[in-house]
Amino acid sequence: MADLMLKNQWMLATAESCTGGLIAGACTDLAGSSAWFERGFVTYSNAAKTEQLGVDVALIATHGAVSEPVVRAMVQGALQHSRAQVAVAVTGVAGPTGGSVDKPVGTVWFGWATPAGLRSEVQHFAGDRAAVRAATVHHALTQLAELLK
């Protein structure tokens, strides 16, 4: 992914809720990432999603923070509030509490914005909090690399 970002002179922004900055951390673990990683937003609370990314309060109230409309607004907000051309956003229920019948623990919504457009999807990961968060980071970055090809 880093090679594709560099080749195209793109910068990446992340907008993270359930991962609390782990995606940004995985990116910046790589030497030279300052050439393609622009910034990360850790928007754990609903207020942070609204204040930092411009997610409409009504959108969260209607659909919940863990939803497709919210993750799409998050990824668009990451682009609008940065100098990046590429963004990834995640919002989910990492557990062990906070799940519901509609959104059980392990439910994570993903959003990716690339020059080719915006994509979103939901995944359901098994395991404890650490496993859900690790799977989320892996999926977010693996899918981003695929979308950039």
Side-chain angles (χ1 to χ4, degrees):
M1 180 186 75
D3 291 342
L4 291 167
M5 296 293 291
L6 287 169
K7 176 184 165 191
N8 291 292
Q9 298 181 347
W10 292 331
M11 297 296 283
L12 173 66
T14 60
E16 304 179 62
S17 187
C18 61
T19 49
L22 294 174
I23 297 170
C27 292
T28 58
D29 275 347
L30 300 173
S33 58
S34 62
W36 54 269
F37 186 83
E38 209 273 328
R39 72 181 72 185
F41 299 91
V42 177
T43 55
Y44 207 73
S45 70
N46 291 344
K49 289 172 183 63
T50 298
E51 293 166 9
Q52 293 183 27
L53 300 172
V55 176
D56 190 333
V57 174
L59 203 63
I60 297 171
T62 302
H63 301 282
V66 180
S67 65
E68 184 173 25
V70 169
V71 84
R72 291 176 75 88
M74 288 173 66
V75 78
Q76 290 170 327
L79 286 181
Q80 291 167 357
H81 293 89
S82 71
R83 293 185 173 101
Q85 297 77 36
V86 175
V88 59
V90 296
T91 183
V93 185
T97 61
S100 67
V101 173
D102 293 338
K103 299 172 187 176
V105 170
T107 302
V108 181
W109 275 99
F110 294 83
W112 298 274
T114 69
L118 194 138
R119 180 167 173 245
S120 55
E121 70 178 36
V122 68
Q123 292 289 316
H124 300 279
F125 299 117
D128 64 9
R129 182 177 182 81
V132 169
R133 288 164 47 115
T136 299
V137 171
H138 181 264
H139 187 73
L141 294 174
T142 301
Q143 289 302 113
L144 179 59
E146 287 298 313
L147 291 170
L148 293 176
K149 287 184 179 178

